[in-house]
Amino acid sequence: FLTAVNVELGDVIWSRLITAYRGAELEHLLVPLLETKFGRGTVKHLGGPTERGADLLIATKSADGSEHRTAIQVKMYDGELN
């Protein structure tokens, strides 16, 4: 039952996302969502019309104090990618 609900919920969320958000709008939506996981100020939006690389950059620190950065290129696809 829970698996079926999870699949249906995922379908509803995906449907609403592709209807309501396009291009850079999705990038802006992801910033506060990722900040709930990594903390406020750790996610930086870099994307835009002149962007030539990552759309988002996440900066985190490990337990030993070393800094890690993760670059994310945002794309909206439906289906399988290889």
Side-chain angles (χ1 to χ4, degrees):
F1 171 77
L2 290 178
T3 301
V5 169
N6 193 28
V7 168
E8 288 180 31
L9 183 58
D11 291 344
V12 169
I13 291 170
W14 179 251
S15 175
R16 297 238 177 131
L17 280 174
I18 63 174
T19 302
Y21 296 94
R22 294 282 181 222
E25 295 173 334
L26 181 61
E27 297 168 14
H28 292 287
L29 172 68
L30 290 176
V31 172
L33 290 174
L34 289 169
E35 284 180 335
T36 63
K37 169 73 175 161
F38 296 103
R40 191 172 190 93
T42 60
V43 181
K44 184 176 180 183
H45 180 254
L46 305 172
T50 60
E51 168 261 314
R52 299 175 74 180
D55 294 314
L56 304 173
L57 184 64
I58 300 172
T60 57
K61 287 191 177 184
S62 63
D64 67 1
S66 59
E67 188 173 300
H68 302 273
R69 293 185 183 176
T70 304
I72 299 175
Q73 180 69 43
V74 178
K75 298 291 180 198
M76 184 178 273
Y77 292 109
D78 187 14
E80 224 174 277
L81 296 173
N82 304 350

